[in-house]
Amino acid sequence: MRHRIHQARLCGHKVAVEKGTTQAADAQAQAPKCTSAGKPLTVEIFNDQNAVNLALSSGRADVAMADSPVAAYQVKQSNGVFKLSGPEYGTAPYGIAIPKNNGMAKPILAALEHLMANGTYLKILDKWAVEIKAVPVRHPGRWLAAAVVLVLVAMFVHTLLTNPRFEWNVIGSYFLSRRVLDGLAITILLTVVAMVIGIVLGVILAVMRLSANPLLSGSSWVYIWFFRGTPILVQLLFWFNLAFLYPDISLGVPFGPSFLHADANSLITPLAAAILGLGLN
């Protein structure tokens, strides 16, 4: 923030200022000096900037004092009626006052930096005829951290390329081998099947949770709590070793006769265990 018109040049004039501003204090402090110099200074104090402008345009004041951005904007809006006079003085920063510890300081600073970075801030200054140039806040710590990260990445890439123990030629020879491609196909199959089971089961459980029936809603909650709260590796181990607890799996009437029987070891293959573990989770 800069003020227009040096105080010594006010002597012998009528000056209009806004009440409560730095300019009002400066003009009043200069008045006795001007009187001592034989050039009395008349200070007219108004309640707002519009009244100051009116006093200047009507001839009741010879000059008006204001902050540099305010004065520049008033000159621009006057269409040639006003002009800037004299050098700027009393440089001071502008700031945005916010309540202490309300958490808005960092978001406001980030917003201003974003406006500065994309050029919007300078467009706003130009619109309001402000000649100052906004300088973004420097963040040397960010540059230092970025440099450290780049060095670490370069070291990692270098060791990947130069360490012979990685044996990239061996990796390349196996990259498209039959066993690797078969494993890739099984992985894709597991992904698709588990996603289908998960989506269908998830919709069913969501509907149950929304049910007014406490038994359905509670059962859904227990299922989600148990399966989502149990590590996936534990579930995979459980399904793969299900035959240890239930060597024979049967299908029939609850607490009654069974119609179908199957050996758990034959039924729960590694692929089936993976599908159950990934799908039900």
Side-chain angles (χ1 to χ4, degrees), residues 1 51 54 97 100 104 106 109 115 147-148 150 160 174 191 205 234 237 240 266 268 274 281:
M1 175 182 69
L54 181 60
K100 187 176 181 180
M104 290 300 297
K106 289 185 177 180
L109 179 59
L115 293 176
V148 172
L150 288 176
L160 286 179
Y174 281 98
T191 302
L205 290 170
V234 174
L237 291 173
F240 183 71
S266 301
I268 307 298
N281 184 258

PDB file of all heavy atoms in Angstrom, residues 1 51 54 97 100 104 106 109 115 147-148 150 160 174 191 205 234 237 240 266 268 274 281:
ATOM      1  N   MET A   1       0.855  -1.184   0.000  1.00  0.00           N
ATOM      2  CA  MET A   1       0.000   0.000   0.000  1.00  0.00           C
ATOM      3  C   MET A   1       0.888   1.228   0.000  1.00  0.00           C
ATOM      4  O   MET A   1       1.803   1.350   0.799  1.00  0.00           O
ATOM      5  CB  MET A   1      -0.890   0.003   1.238  1.00  0.00           C
ATOM      6  CG  MET A   1      -1.736   1.260   1.402  1.00  0.00           C
ATOM      7  SD  MET A   1      -2.702   1.203   2.934  1.00  0.00           S
ATOM      8  CE  MET A   1      -1.385   1.347   4.129  1.00  0.00           C
ATOM      9  N   ALA A  51     -17.643  11.034  -0.503  1.00  0.00           N
ATOM     10  CA  ALA A  51     -17.711  12.433  -0.093  1.00  0.00           C
ATOM     11  C   ALA A  51     -16.406  13.161  -0.397  1.00  0.00           C
ATOM     12  O   ALA A  51     -16.408  14.339  -0.777  1.00  0.00           O
ATOM     13  CB  ALA A  51     -18.031  12.522   1.400  1.00  0.00           C
ATOM     14  N   LEU A  54     -16.447  13.951  -4.082  1.00  0.00           N
ATOM     15  CA  LEU A  54     -17.360  15.051  -4.370  1.00  0.00           C
ATOM     16  C   LEU A  54     -16.740  16.393  -3.996  1.00  0.00           C
ATOM     17  O   LEU A  54     -16.872  17.384  -4.742  1.00  0.00           O
ATOM     18  CB  LEU A  54     -18.670  14.835  -3.608  1.00  0.00           C
ATOM     19  CG  LEU A  54     -19.764  15.900  -3.833  1.00  0.00           C
ATOM     20  CD1 LEU A  54     -20.150  15.961  -5.308  1.00  0.00           C
ATOM     21  CD2 LEU A  54     -20.991  15.577  -2.974  1.00  0.00           C
ATOM     22  N   ALA A  97      -7.709  -9.411   7.094  1.00  0.00           N
ATOM     23  CA  ALA A  97      -7.897  -9.698   8.508  1.00  0.00           C
ATOM     24  C   ALA A  97      -8.953 -10.778   8.692  1.00  0.00           C
ATOM     25  O   ALA A  97     -10.044 -10.701   8.120  1.00  0.00           O
ATOM     26  CB  ALA A  97      -8.325  -8.427   9.248  1.00  0.00           C
ATOM     27  N   LYS A 100      -8.735 -14.978  14.663  1.00  0.00           N
ATOM     28  CA  LYS A 100      -7.603 -15.813  15.039  1.00  0.00           C
ATOM     29  C   LYS A 100      -8.039 -17.264  15.247  1.00  0.00           C
ATOM     30  O   LYS A 100      -9.091 -17.534  15.798  1.00  0.00           O
ATOM     31  CB  LYS A 100      -6.969 -15.266  16.321  1.00  0.00           C
ATOM     32  CG  LYS A 100      -5.675 -15.949  16.717  1.00  0.00           C
ATOM     33  CD  LYS A 100      -5.076 -15.284  17.938  1.00  0.00           C
ATOM     34  CE  LYS A 100      -3.752 -15.933  18.333  1.00  0.00           C
ATOM     35  NZ  LYS A 100      -3.156 -15.294  19.531  1.00  0.00           N
ATOM     36  N   MET A 104      -8.882 -20.411   8.560  1.00  0.00           N
ATOM     37  CA  MET A 104      -9.057 -19.889   7.211  1.00  0.00           C
ATOM     38  C   MET A 104      -7.782 -19.313   6.607  1.00  0.00           C
ATOM     39  O   MET A 104      -7.749 -19.005   5.414  1.00  0.00           O
ATOM     40  CB  MET A 104     -10.141 -18.809   7.205  1.00  0.00           C
ATOM     41  CG  MET A 104     -11.544 -19.329   7.440  1.00  0.00           C
ATOM     42  SD  MET A 104     -12.032 -20.534   6.179  1.00  0.00           S
ATOM     43  CE  MET A 104     -11.988 -19.509   4.705  1.00  0.00           C
ATOM     44  N   LYS A 106      -4.721 -20.598   5.911  1.00  0.00           N
ATOM     45  CA  LYS A 106      -4.099 -21.398   4.852  1.00  0.00           C
ATOM     46  C   LYS A 106      -4.977 -21.508   3.613  1.00  0.00           C
ATOM     47  O   LYS A 106      -4.476 -21.384   2.484  1.00  0.00           O
ATOM     48  CB  LYS A 106      -3.741 -22.784   5.403  1.00  0.00           C
ATOM     49  CG  LYS A 106      -2.582 -22.765   6.389  1.00  0.00           C
ATOM     50  CD  LYS A 106      -2.196 -24.171   6.811  1.00  0.00           C
ATOM     51  CE  LYS A 106      -0.993 -24.145   7.745  1.00  0.00           C
ATOM     52  NZ  LYS A 106      -0.599 -25.511   8.175  1.00  0.00           N
ATOM     53  N   LEU A 109      -4.712 -18.176   1.755  1.00  0.00           N
ATOM     54  CA  LEU A 109      -3.394 -18.049   1.136  1.00  0.00           C
ATOM     55  C   LEU A 109      -3.292 -18.934  -0.099  1.00  0.00           C
ATOM     56  O   LEU A 109      -2.770 -18.519  -1.142  1.00  0.00           O
ATOM     57  CB  LEU A 109      -2.306 -18.414   2.149  1.00  0.00           C
ATOM     58  CG  LEU A 109      -0.861 -18.348   1.629  1.00  0.00           C
ATOM     59  CD1 LEU A 109      -0.526 -16.951   1.142  1.00  0.00           C
ATOM     60  CD2 LEU A 109       0.109 -18.792   2.712  1.00  0.00           C
ATOM     61  N   LEU A 115      -4.663 -17.800  -7.694  1.00  0.00           N
ATOM     62  CA  LEU A 115      -5.008 -16.670  -8.557  1.00  0.00           C
ATOM     63  C   LEU A 115      -3.757 -16.019  -9.144  1.00  0.00           C
ATOM     64  O   LEU A 115      -3.755 -15.595 -10.304  1.00  0.00           O
ATOM     65  CB  LEU A 115      -5.804 -15.637  -7.763  1.00  0.00           C
ATOM     66  CG  LEU A 115      -7.202 -16.056  -7.298  1.00  0.00           C
ATOM     67  CD1 LEU A 115      -7.825 -14.965  -6.449  1.00  0.00           C
ATOM     68  CD2 LEU A 115      -8.096 -16.379  -8.482  1.00  0.00           C
ATOM     69  N   ALA A 147      13.656 -31.477  -4.669  1.00  0.00           N
ATOM     70  CA  ALA A 147      15.003 -31.851  -5.087  1.00  0.00           C
ATOM     71  C   ALA A 147      15.431 -33.166  -4.443  1.00  0.00           C
ATOM     72  O   ALA A 147      16.030 -34.032  -5.110  1.00  0.00           O
ATOM     73  CB  ALA A 147      15.988 -30.739  -4.719  1.00  0.00           C
ATOM     74  N   VAL A 148      15.109 -33.346  -3.159  1.00  0.00           N
ATOM     75  CA  VAL A 148      15.447 -34.589  -2.465  1.00  0.00           C
ATOM     76  C   VAL A 148      14.732 -35.768  -3.109  1.00  0.00           C
ATOM     77  O   VAL A 148      15.322 -36.835  -3.344  1.00  0.00           O
ATOM     78  CB  VAL A 148      15.085 -34.482  -0.967  1.00  0.00           C
ATOM     79  CG1 VAL A 148      15.237 -35.839  -0.281  1.00  0.00           C
ATOM     80  CG2 VAL A 148      15.968 -33.453  -0.285  1.00  0.00           C
ATOM     81  N   LEU A 150      13.635 -36.004  -6.219  1.00  0.00           N
ATOM     82  CA  LEU A 150      14.214 -36.260  -7.542  1.00  0.00           C
ATOM     83  C   LEU A 150      15.534 -37.016  -7.428  1.00  0.00           C
ATOM     84  O   LEU A 150      15.811 -37.919  -8.230  1.00  0.00           O
ATOM     85  CB  LEU A 150      14.421 -34.941  -8.284  1.00  0.00           C
ATOM     86  CG  LEU A 150      13.151 -34.245  -8.788  1.00  0.00           C
ATOM     87  CD1 LEU A 150      13.497 -32.908  -9.421  1.00  0.00           C
ATOM     88  CD2 LEU A 150      12.430 -35.138  -9.802  1.00  0.00           C
ATOM     89  N   LEU A 160      18.456 -49.729 -10.466  1.00  0.00           N
ATOM     90  CA  LEU A 160      17.705 -50.696 -11.269  1.00  0.00           C
ATOM     91  C   LEU A 160      18.427 -51.030 -12.566  1.00  0.00           C
ATOM     92  O   LEU A 160      18.419 -52.181 -13.022  1.00  0.00           O
ATOM     93  CB  LEU A 160      16.297 -50.155 -11.582  1.00  0.00           C
ATOM     94  CG  LEU A 160      15.262 -50.145 -10.448  1.00  0.00           C
ATOM     95  CD1 LEU A 160      13.957 -49.553 -10.950  1.00  0.00           C
ATOM     96  CD2 LEU A 160      15.024 -51.550  -9.908  1.00  0.00           C
ATOM     97  N   TYR A 174      11.481 -64.685 -19.261  1.00  0.00           N
ATOM     98  CA  TYR A 174      10.295 -65.291 -18.655  1.00  0.00           C
ATOM     99  C   TYR A 174       9.054 -64.408 -18.768  1.00  0.00           C
ATOM    100  O   TYR A 174       7.959 -64.829 -18.387  1.00  0.00           O
ATOM    101  CB  TYR A 174      10.553 -65.576 -17.163  1.00  0.00           C
ATOM    102  CG  TYR A 174      11.364 -66.825 -16.929  1.00  0.00           C
ATOM    103  CD1 TYR A 174      12.731 -66.747 -16.705  1.00  0.00           C
ATOM    104  CD2 TYR A 174      10.760 -68.082 -16.934  1.00  0.00           C
ATOM    105  CE1 TYR A 174      13.489 -67.890 -16.487  1.00  0.00           C
ATOM    106  CE2 TYR A 174      11.502 -69.226 -16.717  1.00  0.00           C
ATOM    107  CZ  TYR A 174      12.870 -69.124 -16.491  1.00  0.00           C
ATOM    108  OH  TYR A 174      13.610 -70.250 -16.277  1.00  0.00           O
ATOM    109  N   THR A 191     -10.331 -61.724 -10.899  1.00  0.00           N
ATOM    110  CA  THR A 191     -10.775 -60.340 -10.745  1.00  0.00           C
ATOM    111  C   THR A 191     -12.217 -60.169 -11.207  1.00  0.00           C
ATOM    112  O   THR A 191     -13.050 -59.578 -10.516  1.00  0.00           O
ATOM    113  CB  THR A 191      -9.857 -59.396 -11.535  1.00  0.00           C
ATOM    114  OG1 THR A 191      -8.510 -59.548 -11.079  1.00  0.00           O
ATOM    115  CG2 THR A 191     -10.297 -57.955 -11.368  1.00  0.00           C
ATOM    116  N   LEU A 205     -26.894 -57.071   0.245  1.00  0.00           N
ATOM    117  CA  LEU A 205     -26.635 -56.653   1.626  1.00  0.00           C
ATOM    118  C   LEU A 205     -27.101 -55.223   1.873  1.00  0.00           C
ATOM    119  O   LEU A 205     -27.599 -54.897   2.964  1.00  0.00           O
ATOM    120  CB  LEU A 205     -25.148 -56.782   1.940  1.00  0.00           C
ATOM    121  CG  LEU A 205     -24.606 -58.215   2.034  1.00  0.00           C
ATOM    122  CD1 LEU A 205     -23.086 -58.202   2.115  1.00  0.00           C
ATOM    123  CD2 LEU A 205     -25.196 -58.931   3.241  1.00  0.00           C
ATOM    124  N   VAL A 234      -6.494 -64.193   5.979  1.00  0.00           N
ATOM    125  CA  VAL A 234      -7.087 -65.154   6.908  1.00  0.00           C
ATOM    126  C   VAL A 234      -8.262 -65.861   6.249  1.00  0.00           C
ATOM    127  O   VAL A 234      -8.441 -67.083   6.386  1.00  0.00           O
ATOM    128  CB  VAL A 234      -7.525 -64.440   8.198  1.00  0.00           C
ATOM    129  CG1 VAL A 234      -8.290 -65.402   9.112  1.00  0.00           C
ATOM    130  CG2 VAL A 234      -6.316 -63.868   8.929  1.00  0.00           C
ATOM    131  N   LEU A 237      -7.019 -68.427   3.708  1.00  0.00           N
ATOM    132  CA  LEU A 237      -6.537 -69.626   4.387  1.00  0.00           C
ATOM    133  C   LEU A 237      -7.698 -70.465   4.929  1.00  0.00           C
ATOM    134  O   LEU A 237      -7.665 -71.707   4.887  1.00  0.00           O
ATOM    135  CB  LEU A 237      -5.597 -69.230   5.536  1.00  0.00           C
ATOM    136  CG  LEU A 237      -4.245 -68.626   5.120  1.00  0.00           C
ATOM    137  CD1 LEU A 237      -3.488 -68.123   6.341  1.00  0.00           C
ATOM    138  CD2 LEU A 237      -3.410 -69.666   4.369  1.00  0.00           C
ATOM    139  N   PHE A 240      -9.456 -72.300   1.958  1.00  0.00           N
ATOM    140  CA  PHE A 240      -8.603 -73.343   1.372  1.00  0.00           C
ATOM    141  C   PHE A 240      -8.495 -74.558   2.294  1.00  0.00           C
ATOM    142  O   PHE A 240      -8.346 -75.689   1.833  1.00  0.00           O
ATOM    143  CB  PHE A 240      -7.201 -72.765   1.100  1.00  0.00           C
ATOM    144  CG  PHE A 240      -6.287 -73.747   0.425  1.00  0.00           C
ATOM    145  CD1 PHE A 240      -6.490 -74.113  -0.900  1.00  0.00           C
ATOM    146  CD2 PHE A 240      -5.225 -74.309   1.118  1.00  0.00           C
ATOM    147  CE1 PHE A 240      -5.651 -75.022  -1.525  1.00  0.00           C
ATOM    148  CE2 PHE A 240      -4.388 -75.225   0.490  1.00  0.00           C
ATOM    149  CZ  PHE A 240      -4.597 -75.581  -0.835  1.00  0.00           C
ATOM    150  N   SER A 266     -12.060 -82.019  -2.881  1.00  0.00           N
ATOM    151  CA  SER A 266     -12.282 -82.001  -4.328  1.00  0.00           C
ATOM    152  C   SER A 266     -13.080 -80.767  -4.745  1.00  0.00           C
ATOM    153  O   SER A 266     -12.883 -80.220  -5.837  1.00  0.00           O
ATOM    154  CB  SER A 266     -13.035 -83.263  -4.765  1.00  0.00           C
ATOM    155  OG  SER A 266     -12.307 -84.422  -4.419  1.00  0.00           O
ATOM    156  N   ILE A 268     -13.404 -77.706  -2.924  1.00  0.00           N
ATOM    157  CA  ILE A 268     -12.726 -76.424  -2.660  1.00  0.00           C
ATOM    158  C   ILE A 268     -11.301 -76.493  -3.195  1.00  0.00           C
ATOM    159  O   ILE A 268     -10.348 -76.823  -2.478  1.00  0.00           O
ATOM    160  CB  ILE A 268     -12.724 -76.094  -1.156  1.00  0.00           C
ATOM    161  CG1 ILE A 268     -14.129 -76.164  -0.587  1.00  0.00           C
ATOM    162  CG2 ILE A 268     -12.133 -74.707  -0.908  1.00  0.00           C
ATOM    163  CD1 ILE A 268     -15.099 -75.172  -1.191  1.00  0.00           C
ATOM    164  N   ALA A 274      -9.954 -69.106  -3.690  1.00  0.00           N
ATOM    165  CA  ALA A 274      -9.643 -67.706  -4.005  1.00  0.00           C
ATOM    166  C   ALA A 274     -10.910 -66.941  -4.392  1.00  0.00           C
ATOM    167  O   ALA A 274     -11.105 -65.790  -3.989  1.00  0.00           O
ATOM    168  CB  ALA A 274      -8.615 -67.653  -5.130  1.00  0.00           C
ATOM    169  N   ASN A 281     -15.603 -61.151   0.366  1.00  0.00           N
ATOM    170  CA  ASN A 281     -15.027 -60.029   1.129  1.00  0.00           C
ATOM    171  C   ASN A 281     -15.460 -58.700   0.541  1.00  0.00           C
ATOM    172  O   ASN A 281     -15.337 -57.669   1.181  1.00  0.00           O
ATOM    173  CB  ASN A 281     -13.490 -60.118   1.147  1.00  0.00           C
ATOM    174  CG  ASN A 281     -12.854 -59.066   1.989  1.00  0.00           C
ATOM    175  OD1 ASN A 281     -12.356 -58.088   1.516  1.00  0.00           O
ATOM    176  ND2 ASN A 281     -12.884 -59.275   3.318  1.00  0.00           N
TER     177      ASN A 281
END
